[in-house]
Coordinates of all heavy atoms in Angstrom, one line a residue:
M1 N -4.2 4.5 -14.0 CA -4.8 4.2 -12.7 C -4.0 4.9 -11.6 O -2.8 4.8 -11.6 CB -4.7 2.7 -12.5 CG -5.4 2.2 -11.2 SD -5.5 0.5 -11.1 CE -4.0 0.1 -10.1
K2 N -4.8 5.6 -10.8 CA -4.2 6.2 -9.6 C -4.4 5.3 -8.4 O -5.5 4.8 -8.2 CB -4.8 7.5 -9.3 CG -4.2 8.6 -10.2 CD -2.9 9.1 -9.6 CE -2.0 9.9 -10.6 NZ -0.6 10.0 -10.2
L3 N -3.3 5.1 -7.6 CA -3.5 4.2 -6.5 C -3.9 4.9 -5.2 O -4.2 4.2 -4.2 CB -2.1 3.5 -6.2 CG -1.6 2.7 -7.3 CD1 -0.2 2.1 -7.0 CD2 -2.6 1.5 -7.6
K4 N -4.1 6.2 -5.2 CA -4.5 6.9 -4.1 C -5.9 6.4 -3.6 O -6.8 6.4 -4.4 CB -4.6 8.4 -4.3 CG -4.6 9.3 -3.1 CD -4.4 10.7 -3.4 CE -4.4 11.5 -2.1 NZ -4.5 13.0 -2.3
G5 N -6.0 6.0 -2.4 CA -7.3 5.5 -1.9 C -7.5 4.1 -2.2 O -8.5 3.5 -1.8
K6 N -6.6 3.5 -3.0 CA -6.9 2.1 -3.3 C -6.0 1.2 -2.4 O -4.9 1.6 -2.0 CB -6.5 1.8 -4.8 CG -7.4 2.4 -5.7 CD -7.4 1.7 -7.1 CE -8.5 2.2 -8.0 NZ -8.5 1.6 -9.2
S7 N -6.5 0.0 -2.1 CA -5.8 -0.9 -1.3 C -4.7 -1.6 -2.0 O -4.9 -2.2 -3.1 CB -6.8 -1.9 -0.7 OG -6.1 -2.9 -0.1
L8 N -3.5 -1.5 -1.5 CA -2.4 -2.3 -2.0 C -2.6 -3.8 -2.0 O -2.2 -4.6 -2.8 CB -1.1 -2.0 -1.3 CG -0.5 -0.6 -1.3 CD1 0.8 -0.5 -0.5 CD2 -0.2 -0.2 -2.8
C9 N -3.4 -4.1 -0.9 CA -3.6 -5.6 -0.7 C -4.3 -6.3 -1.8 O -4.0 -7.4 -2.1 CB -4.5 -5.7 0.6 SG -3.8 -4.8 2.0
G10 N -5.1 -5.6 -2.5 CA -5.9 -6.2 -3.6 C -5.2 -6.1 -4.9 O -5.8 -6.6 -5.9
L11 N -4.1 -5.5 -5.0 CA -3.4 -5.3 -6.3 C -3.0 -6.7 -6.9 O -2.5 -7.5 -6.3 CB -2.2 -4.4 -6.2 CG -2.4 -3.0 -6.0 CD1 -1.0 -2.3 -6.1 CD2 -3.3 -2.4 -7.1
K12 N -3.3 -6.8 -8.2 CA -2.8 -8.0 -8.9 C -1.3 -7.8 -9.3 O -0.8 -6.7 -9.4 CB -3.6 -8.1 -10.2 CG -5.1 -8.3 -10.0 CD -5.7 -9.0 -11.2 CE -7.1 -9.5 -10.9 NZ -8.1 -8.5 -10.8
K13 N -0.7 -8.9 -9.5 CA 0.7 -8.9 -9.8 C 1.0 -8.0 -10.9 O 2.0 -7.2 -10.9 CB 1.2 -10.3 -10.0 CG 1.5 -11.1 -8.8 CD 2.0 -12.5 -9.1 CE 2.2 -13.3 -7.8 NZ 2.6 -14.7 -8.0
V14 N 0.2 -8.1 -12.0 CA 0.5 -7.3 -13.2 C 0.4 -5.8 -12.8 O 1.1 -4.9 -13.4 CB -0.4 -7.7 -14.3 CG1 -1.9 -7.6 -13.9 CG2 -0.2 -6.9 -15.5
A15 N -0.6 -5.4 -11.9 CA -0.7 -4.0 -11.6 C 0.4 -3.5 -10.7 O 0.8 -2.4 -10.8 CB -2.1 -3.9 -10.8
I16 N 1.0 -4.4 -9.9 CA 2.1 -4.0 -9.1 C 3.3 -3.7 -10.0 O 4.0 -2.7 -9.9 CB 2.5 -5.2 -8.2 CG1 1.5 -5.4 -7.1 CG2 3.9 -4.9 -7.5 CD1 1.6 -6.7 -6.3
K17 N 3.5 -4.5 -11.0 CA 4.6 -4.3 -12.0 C 4.4 -3.0 -12.7 O 5.4 -2.2 -12.9 CB 4.6 -5.5 -13.0 CG 5.8 -5.7 -13.7 CD 5.7 -7.0 -14.5 CE 6.8 -7.1 -15.6 NZ 6.5 -8.2 -16.5
E18 N 3.2 -2.7 -13.0 CA 2.9 -1.5 -13.8 C 3.0 -0.2 -13.0 O 3.3 0.8 -13.6 CB 1.4 -1.7 -14.3 CG 1.1 -0.9 -15.5 CD -0.3 -1.2 -16.0 OE1 -0.6 -2.5 -16.1 OE2 -1.1 -0.3 -16.3
H19 N 2.7 -0.3 -11.7 CA 2.7 0.9 -10.9 C 3.8 1.0 -9.8 O 3.6 1.6 -8.8 CB 1.3 1.0 -10.2 CG 0.2 1.1 -11.2 ND1 -0.1 2.3 -11.9 CD2 -0.6 0.2 -11.7 CE1 -1.1 2.1 -12.7 NE2 -1.4 0.8 -12.6
L20 N 4.9 0.3 -10.1 CA 5.9 0.1 -9.1 C 6.4 1.5 -8.6 O 6.7 1.6 -7.4 CB 7.1 -0.8 -9.6 CG 7.9 -1.4 -8.5 CD1 7.1 -2.2 -7.5 CD2 8.9 -2.3 -9.2
D21 N 6.6 2.4 -9.4 CA 7.1 3.8 -9.0 C 6.1 4.4 -8.0 O 6.5 4.9 -7.0 CB 7.2 4.7 -10.2 CG 8.4 4.3 -11.1 OD1 9.2 3.4 -10.6 OD2 8.5 4.8 -12.2
E22 N 4.8 4.3 -8.3 CA 3.8 4.9 -7.4 C 3.7 4.1 -6.1 O 3.6 4.7 -5.0 CB 2.5 4.9 -8.2 CG 1.5 5.9 -7.6 CD 0.2 5.9 -8.4 OE1 0.2 5.5 -9.6 OE2 -0.8 6.2 -7.8
I23 N 3.9 2.8 -6.2 CA 3.8 2.0 -5.0 C 5.0 2.3 -4.1 O 4.9 2.4 -2.9 CB 3.8 0.5 -5.4 CG1 2.5 0.2 -6.1 CG2 4.1 -0.4 -4.2 CD1 2.5 -1.2 -6.8
Q24 N 6.2 2.6 -4.7 CA 7.3 2.9 -3.9 C 7.1 4.2 -3.0 O 7.5 4.2 -1.8 CB 8.6 3.2 -4.7 CG 9.2 1.9 -5.3 CD 10.4 2.2 -6.1 OE1 11.3 2.8 -5.6 NE2 10.4 1.7 -7.4
L25 N 6.4 5.1 -3.6 CA 6.1 6.4 -2.9 C 5.1 6.1 -1.7 O 5.2 6.7 -0.6 CB 5.4 7.4 -3.8 CG 6.3 8.0 -4.9 CD1 5.4 8.9 -5.8 CD2 7.4 8.7 -4.3
I26 N 4.3 5.1 -1.9 CA 3.3 4.7 -0.8 C 3.9 4.0 0.3 O 3.6 4.1 1.5 CB 2.1 3.9 -1.4 CG1 1.3 4.8 -2.4 CG2 1.2 3.4 -0.4 CD1 0.3 4.0 -3.3
V27 N 4.9 3.1 0.0 CA 5.5 2.3 1.0 C 6.8 2.7 1.6 O 7.3 2.2 2.6 CB 5.7 0.8 0.5 CG1 4.4 0.3 0.0 CG2 6.7 0.8 -0.6
C28 N 7.4 3.8 1.0 CA 8.8 4.1 1.5 C 8.9 4.7 2.8 O 9.9 4.6 3.6 CB 9.5 5.0 0.4 SG 8.8 6.6 0.3
K29 N 7.8 5.4 3.2 CA 7.7 6.0 4.6 C 6.4 5.6 5.3 O 5.5 6.4 5.4 CB 7.8 7.5 4.5 CG 9.2 8.0 4.2 CD 9.3 9.5 4.0 CE 10.7 9.9 3.5 NZ 10.6 11.3 2.9
P30 N 6.3 4.3 5.6 CA 5.0 3.8 6.1 C 4.7 4.3 7.5 O 5.5 4.5 8.3 CB 5.3 2.3 6.1 CG 6.7 2.1 6.3 CD 7.4 3.3 5.6
K31 N 3.4 4.5 7.7 CA 2.8 4.9 9.0 C 1.8 3.8 9.4 O 1.4 3.8 10.6 CB 2.1 6.2 8.9 CG 3.1 7.4 8.8 CD 2.4 8.7 9.1 CE 3.3 9.9 9.0 NZ 3.5 10.3 7.6
F32 N 1.4 3.0 8.5 CA 0.4 2.0 8.8 C 0.9 0.6 8.3 O 1.6 0.5 7.3 CB -0.9 2.3 8.1 CG -1.5 3.6 8.6 CD1 -1.2 4.8 8.0 CD2 -2.4 3.6 9.7 CE1 -1.7 6.0 8.5 CE2 -2.9 4.8 10.2 CZ -2.6 6.0 9.6
I33 N 0.4 -0.4 8.9 CA 0.6 -1.8 8.5 C -0.7 -2.5 8.4 O -1.6 -2.2 9.2 CB 1.6 -2.6 9.4 CG1 1.9 -4.0 8.9 CG2 1.0 -2.6 10.9 CD1 3.1 -4.7 9.6
C34 N -0.9 -3.3 7.4 CA -2.1 -4.1 7.3 C -2.1 -5.3 8.2 O -1.1 -6.1 8.2 CB -2.3 -4.6 5.8 SG -3.8 -5.5 5.7
G35 N -3.1 -5.4 9.1 CA -3.1 -6.4 10.1 C -3.5 -7.8 9.5 O -3.4 -8.8 10.1
K36 N -3.8 -7.8 8.2 CA -4.2 -9.0 7.6 C -3.1 -9.5 6.6 O -2.8 -10.7 6.5 CB -5.5 -8.8 6.8 CG -6.2 -10.0 6.2 CD -7.4 -9.6 5.5 CE -7.9 -10.7 4.6 NZ -8.9 -10.2 3.6
C37 N -2.5 -8.5 5.8 CA -1.6 -8.9 4.8 C -0.1 -8.5 5.0 O 0.7 -8.9 4.3 CB -2.0 -8.3 3.5 SG -3.8 -8.2 3.2
A38 N 0.1 -7.7 6.1 CA 1.4 -7.3 6.5 C 2.0 -6.3 5.5 O 3.3 -6.1 5.5 CB 2.4 -8.5 6.7
R39 N 1.2 -5.8 4.6 CA 1.7 -4.7 3.7 C 1.8 -3.4 4.5 O 1.1 -3.2 5.5 CB 0.8 -4.5 2.5 CG 1.0 -5.6 1.5 CD -0.2 -5.5 0.5 NE 0.1 -6.3 -0.7 CZ -0.1 -7.6 -0.8 NH1 -0.7 -8.2 0.2 NH2 0.1 -8.2 -1.9
V40 N 2.6 -2.5 4.1 CA 2.8 -1.2 4.8 C 2.5 -0.1 3.8 O 2.6 -0.2 2.6 CB 4.1 -1.0 5.4 CG1 4.4 -2.0 6.5 CG2 5.2 -1.1 4.4
A41 N 2.0 1.1 4.4 CA 1.7 2.2 3.5 C 1.7 3.5 4.4 O 1.6 3.5 5.6 CB 0.3 2.1 2.9
A42 N 1.9 4.6 3.7 CA 1.8 5.9 4.4 C 0.4 6.3 4.7 O 0.2 7.1 5.6 CB 2.5 7.0 3.5
H43 N -0.6 5.8 4.0 CA -2.0 6.2 4.2 C -2.8 4.9 4.5 O -2.6 3.9 3.9 CB -2.6 6.9 3.0 CG -1.7 8.0 2.5 ND1 -1.7 9.2 3.2 CD2 -0.9 8.2 1.5 CE1 -0.9 10.1 2.6 NE2 -0.3 9.4 1.5
S44 N -3.7 5.0 5.5 CA -4.5 3.9 5.9 C -5.4 3.4 4.8 O -5.7 2.2 4.7 CB -5.3 4.2 7.1 OG -6.1 5.3 6.9
G45 N -5.7 4.3 3.9 CA -6.6 4.0 2.8 C -6.0 3.0 1.8 O -6.7 2.4 0.9
N46 N -4.7 2.8 1.8 CA -4.0 1.9 0.9 C -3.9 0.5 1.5 O -3.3 -0.4 0.9 CB -2.6 2.4 0.6 CG -2.6 3.7 -0.3 OD1 -2.1 4.7 0.1 ND2 -3.3 3.6 -1.5
L47 N -4.6 0.2 2.6 CA -4.5 -1.1 3.2 C -5.9 -1.6 3.5 O -6.8 -0.8 3.8 CB -3.7 -1.1 4.5 CG -2.2 -0.6 4.3 CD1 -1.6 -0.3 5.7 CD2 -1.4 -1.6 3.6
C48 N -6.1 -2.9 3.5 CA -7.5 -3.4 3.7 C -7.8 -3.4 5.2 O -8.9 -3.3 5.6 CB -7.7 -4.7 3.1 SG -6.8 -6.1 3.8
R49 N -6.8 -3.7 6.1 CA -7.0 -3.6 7.5 C -5.9 -2.9 8.2 O -5.0 -3.5 8.8 CB -7.1 -5.1 8.0 CG -7.8 -5.2 9.4 CD -8.1 -6.6 9.7 NE -9.1 -7.2 8.9 CZ -9.4 -8.5 8.9 NH1 -8.9 -9.3 9.7 NH2 -10.4 -9.0 8.0
A50 N -5.9 -1.6 8.0 CA -4.8 -0.7 8.5 C -4.7 -0.7 10.0 O -5.7 -0.5 10.7 CB -5.0 0.7 7.9
R51 N -3.5 -0.8 10.5 CA -3.2 -0.5 11.9 C -2.0 0.4 12.0 O -1.1 0.3 11.1 CB -2.9 -1.9 12.6 CG -4.1 -2.7 12.8 CD -3.6 -4.1 13.1 NE -4.8 -5.0 13.1 CZ -5.5 -5.3 14.2 NH1 -5.2 -4.7 15.3 NH2 -6.6 -6.0 14.1
K52 N -2.0 1.2 12.9 CA -0.9 2.2 13.1 C 0.4 1.4 13.4 O 0.4 0.5 14.2 CB -1.1 3.2 14.2 CG -1.8 4.4 13.7 CD -1.5 5.6 14.6 CE -1.6 6.9 13.8 NZ -2.1 8.0 14.6
L53 N 1.5 1.8 12.7 CA 2.8 1.3 13.0 C 3.2 1.9 14.4 O 3.2 3.1 14.5 CB 3.8 1.6 12.0 CG 3.9 0.7 10.7 CD1 4.9 1.4 9.7 CD2 4.4 -0.6 11.1
T54 N 3.6 1.0 15.3 CA 3.8 1.5 16.7 C 5.3 1.4 17.0 O 5.7 1.7 18.2 CB 3.0 0.8 17.7 OG1 3.2 -0.6 17.5 CG2 1.5 1.1 17.5
V55 N 6.2 1.0 16.1 CA 7.6 0.9 16.4 C 8.4 1.8 15.5 O 7.9 2.2 14.4 CB 8.1 -0.5 16.3 CG1 7.6 -1.3 17.5 CG2 7.8 -1.1 15.0
Ligands
LIG101 ZN1 -4.5 -6.0 3.7

């Protein structure tokens, strides 16, 4: 499974465990935060309600 374009918000716990390396790449330099779940990601497509990080 590739996480590109998929929302981190909807990942199941088992999927997080399985794809932790790939998830680290998505969250290590975040540009967006999810306004609903508070997750962060480098690409808005990985969040269900992406908002730009402003700080
Ligand atoms: Zn979300």
